[in-house]
Amino acid sequence: MQNDPKELPLRERKKLRTRQALVDTALELFTAQDFTTVTLDEIVDAVEVSKRTFFRTFTSKEDVALAPEKELWAAYLTDIESRPLTGAHLLGAYEDALFAALEQMADGWERRFLASRSLTDRTPALTAHSLRHCSEVSASIVRIVADRLSGQSPGHTELRLLLDLMLAAWHRALETWTSSDAVRRDRAALIRHTREAFALIPAVAALAAQAG
């Protein structure tokens, strides 16, 4: 889990509470109404903060709607920057970094993530924003890994394809998790589905080798 907010300075605790209130309120409004009809004024009025405060934390409605997703991948990037890496075990490092990021998320993150995913699935503007964010994060991951393994790693194309394979398994795990019974949509279930999807990667790679 993330560090206990009580350990943070008062100013940081206040900022964290405001940020969380904005995310929770925005997701509630977007879910109850249509994403395109909810205004920024409605969000800030409900939280009783100014637009200036909102824009100190988020860049747009899309940004706050995808906050749970972006929190996860921000933690992933932080982890992969310091995780021990070797060219022979990159897939395992990619996978372990995701599990570490999932464990670091704050209490209640999975509920917000589920709401965000559901919203994204039915909102084209959010789907586009999410895909763009995924592409940007993927490029950052490959750049970090290539720099850290300079001279001893596969090329950028190989690193990206390996990452894409992991991400495909992750997205399949998400599909299983979001379609499961509501009582089974906790973080433990998400991690379990992810492990099961990752366990299939070697067999999929073997099929690809046979096709070649």
Side-chain angles (χ1 to χ4, degrees):
M1 295 294 180
Q2 293 174 330
N3 292 333
D4 187 343
K6 294 180 181 178
E7 299 176 358
L8 298 173
L10 178 60
R11 180 182 178 85
E12 293 303 313
R13 294 202 303 271
K14 287 182 176 179
K15 288 171 61 176
L16 185 61
R17 285 197 296 268
T18 299
R19 185 185 194 283
Q20 199 57 69
L22 285 167
V23 173
D24 286 339
T25 300
L27 288 174
E28 288 174 5
L29 289 171
F30 294 152
T31 300
Q33 304 176 44
D34 183 88
F35 173 80
T36 59
T37 64
V38 176
T39 66
L40 183 55
D41 284 330
E42 288 181 85
I43 298 171
V44 297
D45 287 349
V47 183
E48 297 184 334
V49 298
S50 66
K51 286 185 180 180
R52 182 177 180 182
T53 297
F54 178 92
F55 284 117
R56 278 201 294 262
T57 308
F58 301 104
T59 61
S60 63
K61 289 199 309 178
E62 288 80 5
D63 193 26
V64 70
L66 294 176
E69 175 182 320
K70 293 188 175 185
E71 289 166 6
L72 176 66
W73 292 107
Y76 185 100
L77 285 170
T78 298
D79 185 275
I80 206 71
E81 286 180 330
S82 59
R83 177 172 294 277
L85 298 176
T86 63
H89 300 286
L90 280 178
L91 180 60
Y94 281 157
E95 295 173 351
D96 289 344
L98 182 54
F99 290 125
L102 285 167
E103 294 288 354
Q104 291 172 31
M105 294 297 97
D107 291 341
W109 169 85
E110 57 272 20
R111 172 184 54 79
R112 295 184 289 273
F113 183 59
L114 183 61
S116 178
R117 291 294 305 180
S118 177
L119 187 64
T120 300
D121 287 343
R122 63 178 187 270
T123 310
L126 287 178
T127 300
H129 193 97
S130 178
L131 289 172
R132 183 167 64 252
H133 176 252
C134 181
S135 179
E136 292 169 351
V137 169
S138 295
S140 295
I141 294 169
V142 170
R143 183 173 60 255
I144 290 168
V145 173
D147 288 346
R148 292 190 60 204
L149 296 179
S150 180
Q152 57 171 313
S153 70
H156 278 64
T157 299
E158 289 87 346
L159 291 174
R160 180 59 184 264
L161 289 174
L162 190 64
L163 178 62
D164 286 345
L165 184 59
M166 185 209 77
L167 290 175
W170 162 246
H171 289 142
R172 178 54 188 154
L174 285 182
E175 291 174 0
T176 304
W177 182 63
T178 56
S179 64
S180 62
D181 185 88
V183 298
R184 299 180 181 178
R185 293 178 190 162
D186 58 12
R187 195 177 318 192
L190 175 57
I191 291 174
R192 183 178 68 254
H193 290 312
T194 302
R195 291 193 185 281
E196 291 171 353
F198 284 175
L200 295 174
I201 290 178
V204 172
L207 286 175
Q210 293 175 11

